[in-house]
Amino acid sequence: MATEEVKSKVIAVKKDKAPPKPEDLALDVASQQMIVRSREMGIETIFDRAESMKPCNIGTQGTCCKNCAQGPCRLPLPKGGIEGEDTRKGLCGATPETIAARNFARMVAAGAAAHSDHGRGVAETFLAAARKETKDYKIKDTKKLLEIAPDFGVDITVEGEDGAVLDRDVDEIAVEVGEIALAQWGQQQGEVCTVKRAPKPRYELWKKLGVVPRGIDREIVEIMHRTHIGVDQDYQNLVEQCTRASIADGWGGSMIATDLQDVLFGCPYPIKSSANLGVLKEDHVNIVIHGHEPLLSEMIVQAAELPELIEYAKQKGANGIQLSGICCTANEILMRHGVPLCGDFLQQELAIVTGAVDAMVVDVQCIMENIANVAQCFHTKIITTNPRAKIASGDCIHIEFDEHTAFEDAKTIVKTAIDNFPKREKEVMIPNQRNDLIAGFSYEAINYHLGGTFRGSYTPLNDNIINGRIRGIGGVVG
Ligand code: SF4
């Protein structure tokens, strides 16, 4: 598609009023600079769409239902509010409380499904590595494997014939942990095994309230059933199921993902790196890895360090390969390898606007469809890699990632980015902003830093929070 034709598709900046100043849209100077550039080039970004988007009044209240074909049923709050009894009802008689609770529950189901499905993918790869069905992944952190195995009901020792306690084979333990971990998704009865890790009073409370999840998928599917027309019409009961599904995700799917990723790739440890759009390098092939999972990005890190591919990049006129990341995938390779963060969710389009991104490689979650349109205004290739997440807009290419051929897939992706380097057509403009940071404060690393190998503990931290010397702790959670 011709660039002008593309531009006309992408330009949507309102002309009838002055757009807000970039400094009113973002505190970050690098983002401000790229917002200015995108406007000069007539390229629409989320900052423009946020101006033209008017939230629906009924949607804001959560009282629009389209859970059956008789709807949508819209239950707006009348101007001036409601005097007396609230008689609003959908065609089936659903009250605003029921509709709002159903809508909220479906959001919970989607969120829990997304995070847990990430964990499922990790568990499948972990099991493939444990069974030695892939040569690209290996069990790296056996210490953590032995720590988590009992939580999955896997013994790490065995009694010998003479009654002596013997260590079990680590490979056997890994296979059993992988099988039991993966089974948590399809389990129908009992409890998701990792939920018992919660502090005892919390676990007892969940038991008392009846919200301990039986299986990860089961709780998510049950939300979809309950929110179908004519099923659960008690908002408190609906929210109770939201709690069950949330625990299935937080203390199940997501927690299992963290455990198994650490065993596969190693526990993060404090490491120096940097962040912001200034990490891009004009004279390097820039590959931005964006999305949610570490399975592919770990392989891309290894592929980008291959001497043969660095040499290939030099043959194409670059001085090397610069990897950087956006969103959760970025965090995974930042905290284990120190790969710099190119930006956050809101900067994904702006990174492309620099003109320096040769490939943006995406897996799942948080990927704006419009990166495909912005990329068409530059030479940037958007490479989708996951069969769950393709993009119909723009000219994206799909290089499917398979855990059995992971390293070869990663090499193909890196080579595609290198081949694109000589095709840069627009002036490159990379903001100078680049901030140093230290990442990698895993639970294990903090524990070690507060007491060493033999006395590792959170006690010094807890004591100082309790005695008031530490006034507070901020958590930034993606
Ligand atoms: S479930 Fe009830 S409120 Fe929802 S769309 Fe159908 S009839 Fe309307």
Side-chain angles (χ1 to χ4, degrees), residues 65-68 70-73 90-92 94 99 102 229:
C65 181
K66 50 186 177 62
N67 290 11
C68 86
Q70 296 177 99
C73 296
L91 285 181
C92 65
I99 291 174
R102 281 175 180 165
I229 177 176

Side-chain angles (χ1 to χ4, degrees), residues 7 25 264 298 401 448:
K7 265 190 177 183
L25 297 171
L264 270 182
E298 281 284 331
F401 168 70
Y448 170 74

Side-chain angles (χ1 to χ4, degrees), residues 464-465 467-473:
N464 282 287
I465 292 171
N467 69 25
R469 288 180 69 196
I470 294 177
R471 302 292 293 274
I473 294 178

Side-chain angles (χ1 to χ4, degrees), residues 22-34:
E23 53 270 33
D24 292 336
L25 297 171
L27 289 172
D28 169 49
V29 175
S31 299
Q32 292 168 9
Q33 288 172 4
M34 288 303 100

Side-chain angles (χ1 to χ4, degrees), residues 32 40 50 65 84 157 165 198 226 262 299 308 318 326 399 414 432:
Q32 292 168 9
E40 284 169 359
C65 181
T157 55
V165 177
R226 285 187 187 214
D262 286 351
M299 290 296 120
E308 71 208 52
I326 287 179
I399 302 178
V414 172
N432 285 329

